[in-house]
Amino acid sequence: MSLTREQMAMRVARELEDGYYVNLGIGMPTLVANYVPEGMEVMLQSENGILGMGPYPTEAELDADMINAGKETVTTIAGAAVFSSAASFEMIRGGHVDLTVLGAFEVDVNGDIASWMVPGKLIKGMGGAMDLVAAARNIIVMMTHADKHGNSKLLNSCTLPLTGSGCIHKVLTDLAYLEIENGAFILKERAPGISVEEIIAKTEGKLIVPDHVPEMTFA
Amino acid sequence: MSLTREQMAMRVARELEDGYYVNLGIGMPTLVANYVPEGMEVMLQSENGILGMGPYPTEAELDADMINAGKETVTTIAGAAVFSSAASFEMIRGGHVDLTVLGAFEVDVNGDIASWMVPGKLIKGMGGAMDLVAAARNIIVMMTHADKHGNSKLLNSCTLPLTGSGCIHKVLTDLAYLEIENGAFILKERAPGISVEEIIAKTEGKLIVPDHVPEMTFA
Amino acid sequence: MAGFDKVVHSYEEALAGLTDGMSMAVGGFGLCGIPENLIAQVKKMGTRDLTVFSNNCGVDGFGLGLLLQDKQISRIYASYVGENKEFERQMLEGELEVILTPQGTLAEKMRAGGAGIPAFYTATGYGTPIAEGKETREFNGRHYVLEEAINADFSLVKAWKADRYGNAIYRHTAQNFNPMAATCGKICVMEVEEIVEPGELDPAQIQTPGIYVNRLIQGTFEKRIEKRTVRQG
Amino acid sequence: MAGFDKVVHSYEEALAGLTDGMSMAVGGFGLCGIPENLIAQVKKMGTRDLTVFSNNCGVDGFGLGLLLQDKQISRIYASYVGENKEFERQMLEGELEVILTPQGTLAEKMRAGGAGIPAFYTATGYGTPIAEGKETREFNGRHYVLEEAINADFSLVKAWKADRYGNAIYRHTAQNFNPMAATCGKICVMEVEEIVEPGELDPAQIQTPGIYVNRLIQGTFEKRIEKRTVRQG
C-alpha cells in the first residue's frame, strides 16, 4: 500500500532532531508538525515572518493580523519572534534554518527541483520556495512518486522550469524514501508492502537499488 | 575678523529648513544644533543609531547605554527612534538624510574631500564619514580656511587620502562661504571684515570671485 | 503641516501626485497588512499603467485585485499568483506583464532600494529561469545571481500605530513587506489604525523610523481573512 | 541543555571552542553595548592570532583594548581608531593589521554574512583608498564598489534581555552593531543583563530572534562611559 499523507508526514518527522528550526512548506509538509516525537522540541519558521508558529487559533483567538505563509490564521508559541519579510529571509538565505520540507512537481538525479510552474497551464509563482531551496543545508522533498496520470516525478532531468538546481538530496514519496547522490536516486527504504519492482517501474530517473531495501518504520 | 566657531555654526544653521533630518559630524558641526532658527524644527540623526537626538543628559538622566556617534552621553527627544547600525546606514546610504555637516582636512575644486588620515602621522579612521559623503544629497563642509601653519585647505587637488570623490558642493570656512561648481570654488559670501584679497591669498584651489561678494549675515 | 508632522486628513491628499505610468511598492502578504484604503483610493482615482511591486496581488475584488479588475496595472513584480483567478488570467493571456520574483529576493530588492544598495548577489534562483539574462558569479565555490534594487515613485504601506512624525510599529505578521516597501519609494504614504503623539511609542521599538514616511493617515480597516483556519478551543 | 534552551552557566562554557587563529565579530560602538565579560574571558583564555570585526577596538585597558595589550589580535576590521593610543601605536608600527572599513559598510558586511548575501555594491568609498583592489561598477550613472560579506567563527554580542531561547532585545543605543554581529558568526555567544522565560518578551519586539543565538549567559556589567557629557539639570 502506498503511504497515506499522514504516514508520509510521520516518516518525515523521523528526520527531526531536538532543537531544530524547521520550515514546512504549504500543503502536505504542514502535517509533519503533528508528528514531532514525544520529548523533542522543534520550532516552526514561517517565511512571512514567524519563528515559533503555533497551532490554528480558537474562534476566540482568531486574528487577521496573524497568519502563516500559507495565509492560514495561526498562533504563536511562548518564546516566538515575529519580524519582517526581509528579516525572515535573512534567516532562510543565511542558512540558519535546520530543515526545510517542501513539495514538488518533479525532482531529478542531479538534485534539481521543479515546483512552481507548468508552462501554459499553471503558474502559482515560486513564493519563498526558491529562497528556501537555494539556502537550506537540509531539505526533504515530500511528494507522490508519480503524478495522477501515473507519470514518474523522479526523473533523469526535470522537464518543468526549475525552482533550484543541485540542491535536493532527500526525497520522501508515497512509495519510498530515496537519497540523491552522484547523479542517481538511491533507494533507501520502501513503503510497507511496496515491492522494489514497483518502485523501479515508477522511477524514471536512474535508480540504484541496494541489496537490501528495508521497509520503512514510523517511530 | 575670521569667524568664531559659534559664528560658523550660526552661518551653517541658515542652510537648515523646517522638517530637515540632519546629521552633524563630531566636533564643530555639533554646534549647529544650538542655532536652529526660532519656529523651525530639525531632527538630528546620529549614525550609531538615533533619529531625534536631544541635548546632553542631566546627572540624573545620565545613561551609559545612550550615546551619540561622538561617544558622548546624550538624550532623545519625544518622537525619537533608536535602531541598529545597519538600520542607521540604510537611512544614510539611501539618501534619506536631508543635510550632512562635517569637518575636513582638505577639500578640492572637484568636490573631493579628505578627512580621515594623514599618512604616517595620524589615522583616526573614517567612521561613518565615507558613508555620509557618498550618499547625502546635501553636504556642507565646515572647517578653517587654512591649517595652523597657514596652508590653504581649499585645493586644486587633495593631497591626503580621500574620504569621498566629487561629493562636496558647499564649504563654510572661518573666512568665507563657497560653492564648488565646474572645477572651481565660487566665492559666495565673505566673513564680516574679511577682504576678498585675503580670501584669494588663502585659497590655493581655483577660485572664481563674482563682481559683488556680500558680507555674510547670520540670521 | 509644519516640522515633522506627517499627518494628512484625506485619502485624496495622501495620494496626490500619483499619476499614470508611475510605480508603487505596496506592503502586505496575501491580504494581511495591506494598505487597503490606499489601494481603494487608487481605484477611485483610476490611475492607469501602474507598475506594482508587491508580494501578492490581492484576491478577486479586494486589495490589489481591485486594480486588476479595472486594468490599472500594466506590470507587477510578485512572488505568488495562486488564489487569484483574474491575476492568472491576465498573465496567461498576456494582458499583464508579470515578473515573478522569489519572495526573499523581492524583500531584499526593496530593502536595497531604500538603503542605497544598487545591487547584491544571492544564491536564490541560480540555475532557474529567474537567472536568465542576469549576471551570475561564483564566491567561495557557490554560484550567485546579481539582483538589482527596487526603487518606486510611491510606497503604499500599512502599519498598526504611528506617531505624528511617522515613527511606526506593526502588529503581528501584518509587518511582512511593509517596512521594506516604506523605504524604497520617493514618496512614502502610510496608513495606520491609530495615530499617537510623539513620545508615546518606545524609541527602541520603532520598526519604521519617521524619516521614511512622507504622509500619514489614520484609517479604518476591514482586514479580510483569506483562509480562516481554526481549532476547537 | 535540551530543545531551545541556550543558557550556559559559565564564561568558560560560553567561549568553549574559541581557539588561536579564529575570527570573531564583536558588537558594540565605542564602549557602549560591548560584550565586556566575554572579551575579558578571551583575555583570560589567552587565545592568540585572532581576527576581529568590530567598529572600534575599545580603549586602553577596557573592552577590546584588553586584547591589544596582550597582542592577542593579529588583524582587525574597524572604522575608527581615535582615542585608543595602543591601537594607533600597534597599527603605525605594523604590529597589527588594520583594515579600516567605513562604518556603514562594516555593518552591512556583517548583515550580508548573516543573510547569505556574499557581496553587494555600495557608493561608499568610491574613488578613495578603500576601493583600491576592489571591483567598481556603474549603475544608473553612479559609481559603486563591490564589498564582500563578513563571516566569522564566533559572534560575541551583548543584549539587554533575552528569553532562554535567545530571543533578545537591546537597550537604547547599546544596540548598534550587536544585531548584525549576532548573525554572521558560526557560533553566536550572547551575554545579557537579564534572562527571562519564553513568553515574557513581546514576539513583535524581538530584535535578535533566537535562531541566531547558540549560547546565552547572564552577566553583570561595568558599562564604562567613554565621554561623560552632562548639562545642568
PDB file of all heavy atoms in Angstrom, chain B residues 193-212:
ATOM      1  N   GLY B 193      34.241  91.886   7.541  1.00  0.00           N
ATOM      2  CA  GLY B 193      35.565  92.481   7.767  1.00  0.00           C
ATOM      3  C   GLY B 193      36.693  91.758   7.055  1.00  0.00           C
ATOM      4  O   GLY B 193      37.845  92.224   7.092  1.00  0.00           O
ATOM      5  N   ILE B 194      36.403  90.629   6.398  1.00  0.00           N
ATOM      6  CA  ILE B 194      37.451  89.904   5.666  1.00  0.00           C
ATOM      7  C   ILE B 194      37.405  90.356   4.202  1.00  0.00           C
ATOM      8  O   ILE B 194      36.354  90.380   3.571  1.00  0.00           O
ATOM      9  CB  ILE B 194      37.209  88.381   5.743  1.00  0.00           C
ATOM     10  CG1 ILE B 194      37.303  87.894   7.189  1.00  0.00           C
ATOM     11  CG2 ILE B 194      38.199  87.623   4.852  1.00  0.00           C
ATOM     12  CD1 ILE B 194      38.665  87.989   7.830  1.00  0.00           C
ATOM     13  N   SER B 195      38.559  90.706   3.666  1.00  0.00           N
ATOM     14  CA  SER B 195      38.596  91.204   2.292  1.00  0.00           C
ATOM     15  C   SER B 195      38.656  90.063   1.297  1.00  0.00           C
ATOM     16  O   SER B 195      39.125  88.964   1.613  1.00  0.00           O
ATOM     17  CB  SER B 195      39.833  92.092   2.104  1.00  0.00           C
ATOM     18  OG  SER B 195      40.999  91.297   2.179  1.00  0.00           O
ATOM     19  N   VAL B 196      38.182  90.346   0.117  1.00  0.00           N
ATOM     20  CA  VAL B 196      38.272  89.381  -0.973  1.00  0.00           C
ATOM     21  C   VAL B 196      39.738  89.010  -1.207  1.00  0.00           C
ATOM     22  O   VAL B 196      40.067  87.847  -1.469  1.00  0.00           O
ATOM     23  CB  VAL B 196      37.633  89.970  -2.249  1.00  0.00           C
ATOM     24  CG1 VAL B 196      38.004  89.157  -3.477  1.00  0.00           C
ATOM     25  CG2 VAL B 196      36.112  90.027  -2.091  1.00  0.00           C
ATOM     26  N   GLU B 197      40.639  89.991  -1.064  1.00  0.00           N
ATOM     27  CA  GLU B 197      42.065  89.749  -1.289  1.00  0.00           C
ATOM     28  C   GLU B 197      42.612  88.703  -0.323  1.00  0.00           C
ATOM     29  O   GLU B 197      43.373  87.813  -0.713  1.00  0.00           O
ATOM     30  CB  GLU B 197      42.866  91.063  -1.142  1.00  0.00           C
ATOM     31  CG  GLU B 197      42.634  92.068  -2.259  1.00  0.00           C
ATOM     32  CD  GLU B 197      41.208  92.629  -2.297  1.00  0.00           C
ATOM     33  OE1 GLU B 197      40.551  92.732  -1.219  1.00  0.00           O
ATOM     34  OE2 GLU B 197      40.719  92.925  -3.409  1.00  0.00           O
ATOM     35  N   GLU B 198      42.208  88.797   0.938  1.00  0.00           N
ATOM     36  CA  GLU B 198      42.688  87.826   1.922  1.00  0.00           C
ATOM     37  C   GLU B 198      42.211  86.420   1.571  1.00  0.00           C
ATOM     38  O   GLU B 198      42.955  85.444   1.672  1.00  0.00           O
ATOM     39  CB  GLU B 198      42.197  88.210   3.333  1.00  0.00           C
ATOM     40  CG  GLU B 198      42.664  87.197   4.376  1.00  0.00           C
ATOM     41  CD  GLU B 198      42.331  87.597   5.810  1.00  0.00           C
ATOM     42  OE1 GLU B 198      41.901  88.751   6.045  1.00  0.00           O
ATOM     43  OE2 GLU B 198      42.523  86.745   6.693  1.00  0.00           O
ATOM     44  N   ILE B 199      40.973  86.325   1.123  1.00  0.00           N
ATOM     45  CA  ILE B 199      40.427  85.012   0.756  1.00  0.00           C
ATOM     46  C   ILE B 199      41.163  84.465  -0.460  1.00  0.00           C
ATOM     47  O   ILE B 199      41.531  83.286  -0.500  1.00  0.00           O
ATOM     48  CB  ILE B 199      38.906  85.115   0.497  1.00  0.00           C
ATOM     49  CG1 ILE B 199      38.205  85.481   1.815  1.00  0.00           C
ATOM     50  CG2 ILE B 199      38.360  83.813  -0.063  1.00  0.00           C
ATOM     51  CD1 ILE B 199      36.773  85.951   1.660  1.00  0.00           C
ATOM     52  N   ILE B 200      41.410  85.329  -1.433  1.00  0.00           N
ATOM     53  CA  ILE B 200      42.165  84.902  -2.617  1.00  0.00           C
ATOM     54  C   ILE B 200      43.536  84.377  -2.192  1.00  0.00           C
ATOM     55  O   ILE B 200      43.980  83.308  -2.627  1.00  0.00           O
ATOM     56  CB  ILE B 200      42.320  86.069  -3.635  1.00  0.00           C
ATOM     57  CG1 ILE B 200      40.948  86.404  -4.251  1.00  0.00           C
ATOM     58  CG2 ILE B 200      43.339  85.731  -4.730  1.00  0.00           C
ATOM     59  CD1 ILE B 200      40.922  87.652  -5.114  1.00  0.00           C
ATOM     60  N   ALA B 201      44.185  85.125  -1.296  1.00  0.00           N
ATOM     61  CA  ALA B 201      45.533  84.760  -0.854  1.00  0.00           C
ATOM     62  C   ALA B 201      45.552  83.417  -0.143  1.00  0.00           C
ATOM     63  O   ALA B 201      46.523  82.667  -0.234  1.00  0.00           O
ATOM     64  CB  ALA B 201      46.097  85.846   0.068  1.00  0.00           C
ATOM     65  N   LYS B 202      44.466  83.111   0.550  1.00  0.00           N
ATOM     66  CA  LYS B 202      44.444  81.888   1.358  1.00  0.00           C
ATOM     67  C   LYS B 202      43.741  80.718   0.675  1.00  0.00           C
ATOM     68  O   LYS B 202      43.497  79.683   1.306  1.00  0.00           O
ATOM     69  CB  LYS B 202      43.798  82.179   2.714  1.00  0.00           C
ATOM     70  CG  LYS B 202      44.671  83.080   3.585  1.00  0.00           C
ATOM     71  CD  LYS B 202      44.168  83.197   4.995  1.00  0.00           C
ATOM     72  CE  LYS B 202      45.173  83.983   5.836  1.00  0.00           C
ATOM     73  NZ  LYS B 202      44.581  84.468   7.089  1.00  0.00           N
ATOM     74  N   THR B 203      43.395  80.881  -0.597  1.00  0.00           N
ATOM     75  CA  THR B 203      42.743  79.801  -1.330  1.00  0.00           C
ATOM     76  C   THR B 203      43.671  79.312  -2.415  1.00  0.00           C
ATOM     77  O   THR B 203      43.962  80.030  -3.372  1.00  0.00           O
ATOM     78  CB  THR B 203      41.410  80.288  -1.951  1.00  0.00           C
ATOM     79  OG1 THR B 203      40.604  80.845  -0.911  1.00  0.00           O
ATOM     80  CG2 THR B 203      40.677  79.162  -2.645  1.00  0.00           C
ATOM     81  N   GLU B 204      44.164  78.109  -2.268  1.00  0.00           N
ATOM     82  CA  GLU B 204      45.100  77.591  -3.269  1.00  0.00           C
ATOM     83  C   GLU B 204      44.380  77.121  -4.529  1.00  0.00           C
ATOM     84  O   GLU B 204      44.845  77.277  -5.634  1.00  0.00           O
ATOM     85  CB  GLU B 204      45.901  76.433  -2.679  1.00  0.00           C
ATOM     86  CG  GLU B 204      46.999  75.953  -3.611  1.00  0.00           C
ATOM     87  CD  GLU B 204      47.479  74.554  -3.265  1.00  0.00           C
ATOM     88  OE1 GLU B 204      48.019  74.375  -2.160  1.00  0.00           O
ATOM     89  OE2 GLU B 204      47.302  73.643  -4.100  1.00  0.00           O
ATOM     90  N   GLY B 205      43.190  76.511  -4.341  1.00  0.00           N
ATOM     91  CA  GLY B 205      42.451  75.987  -5.487  1.00  0.00           C
ATOM     92  C   GLY B 205      41.861  77.109  -6.331  1.00  0.00           C
ATOM     93  O   GLY B 205      41.693  78.248  -5.870  1.00  0.00           O
ATOM     94  N   LYS B 206      41.535  76.778  -7.562  1.00  0.00           N
ATOM     95  CA  LYS B 206      40.953  77.753  -8.488  1.00  0.00           C
ATOM     96  C   LYS B 206      39.734  78.413  -7.847  1.00  0.00           C
ATOM     97  O   LYS B 206      38.813  77.729  -7.386  1.00  0.00           O
ATOM     98  CB  LYS B 206      40.554  77.063  -9.796  1.00  0.00           C
ATOM     99  CG  LYS B 206      39.948  78.010 -10.810  1.00  0.00           C
ATOM    100  CD  LYS B 206      39.652  77.298 -12.126  1.00  0.00           C
ATOM    101  CE  LYS B 206      38.950  78.249 -13.090  1.00  0.00           C
ATOM    102  NZ  LYS B 206      38.492  77.530 -14.303  1.00  0.00           N
ATOM    103  N   LEU B 207      39.748  79.747  -7.836  1.00  0.00           N
ATOM    104  CA  LEU B 207      38.688  80.493  -7.149  1.00  0.00           C
ATOM    105  C   LEU B 207      38.049  81.471  -8.122  1.00  0.00           C
ATOM    106  O   LEU B 207      38.745  82.245  -8.782  1.00  0.00           O
ATOM    107  CB  LEU B 207      39.288  81.257  -5.964  1.00  0.00           C
ATOM    108  CG  LEU B 207      38.319  82.104  -5.124  1.00  0.00           C
ATOM    109  CD1 LEU B 207      37.359  81.223  -4.338  1.00  0.00           C
ATOM    110  CD2 LEU B 207      39.110  83.016  -4.174  1.00  0.00           C
ATOM    111  N   ILE B 208      36.749  81.437  -8.202  1.00  0.00           N
ATOM    112  CA  ILE B 208      36.035  82.413  -9.025  1.00  0.00           C
ATOM    113  C   ILE B 208      35.399  83.431  -8.086  1.00  0.00           C
ATOM    114  O   ILE B 208      34.673  83.059  -7.157  1.00  0.00           O
ATOM    115  CB  ILE B 208      34.977  81.719  -9.901  1.00  0.00           C
ATOM    116  CG1 ILE B 208      35.708  80.842 -10.940  1.00  0.00           C
ATOM    117  CG2 ILE B 208      34.075  82.743 -10.585  1.00  0.00           C
ATOM    118  CD1 ILE B 208      34.792  80.039 -11.820  1.00  0.00           C
ATOM    119  N   VAL B 209      35.736  84.709  -8.341  1.00  0.00           N
ATOM    120  CA  VAL B 209      35.242  85.779  -7.481  1.00  0.00           C
ATOM    121  C   VAL B 209      34.250  86.625  -8.265  1.00  0.00           C
ATOM    122  O   VAL B 209      34.632  87.334  -9.200  1.00  0.00           O
ATOM    123  CB  VAL B 209      36.399  86.667  -6.976  1.00  0.00           C
ATOM    124  CG1 VAL B 209      35.876  87.766  -6.060  1.00  0.00           C
ATOM    125  CG2 VAL B 209      37.460  85.826  -6.271  1.00  0.00           C
ATOM    126  N   PRO B 210      32.979  86.542  -7.937  1.00  0.00           N
ATOM    127  CA  PRO B 210      31.978  87.370  -8.639  1.00  0.00           C
ATOM    128  C   PRO B 210      32.242  88.855  -8.386  1.00  0.00           C
ATOM    129  O   PRO B 210      32.983  89.210  -7.465  1.00  0.00           O
ATOM    130  CB  PRO B 210      30.658  86.946  -7.987  1.00  0.00           C
ATOM    131  CG  PRO B 210      30.943  85.633  -7.326  1.00  0.00           C
ATOM    132  CD  PRO B 210      32.382  85.690  -6.917  1.00  0.00           C
ATOM    133  N   ASP B 211      31.619  89.695  -9.192  1.00  0.00           N
ATOM    134  CA  ASP B 211      31.808  91.150  -9.038  1.00  0.00           C
ATOM    135  C   ASP B 211      31.480  91.616  -7.636  1.00  0.00           C
ATOM    136  O   ASP B 211      32.185  92.410  -7.041  1.00  0.00           O
ATOM    137  CB  ASP B 211      30.917  91.908 -10.041  1.00  0.00           C
ATOM    138  CG  ASP B 211      31.430  91.708 -11.463  1.00  0.00           C
ATOM    139  OD1 ASP B 211      32.601  91.295 -11.613  1.00  0.00           O
ATOM    140  OD2 ASP B 211      30.650  91.943 -12.398  1.00  0.00           O
ATOM    141  N   HIS B 212      30.380  91.108  -7.148  1.00  0.00           N
ATOM    142  CA  HIS B 212      29.974  91.514  -5.804  1.00  0.00           C
ATOM    143  C   HIS B 212      29.975  90.309  -4.878  1.00  0.00           C
ATOM    144  O   HIS B 212      29.314  89.310  -5.148  1.00  0.00           O
ATOM    145  CB  HIS B 212      28.582  92.150  -5.844  1.00  0.00           C
ATOM    146  CG  HIS B 212      28.079  92.501  -4.485  1.00  0.00           C
ATOM    147  ND1 HIS B 212      28.694  93.434  -3.665  1.00  0.00           N
ATOM    148  CD2 HIS B 212      27.025  92.020  -3.775  1.00  0.00           C
ATOM    149  CE1 HIS B 212      28.035  93.517  -2.530  1.00  0.00           C
ATOM    150  NE2 HIS B 212      27.019  92.669  -2.562  1.00  0.00           N
TER     151      HIS B 212
END
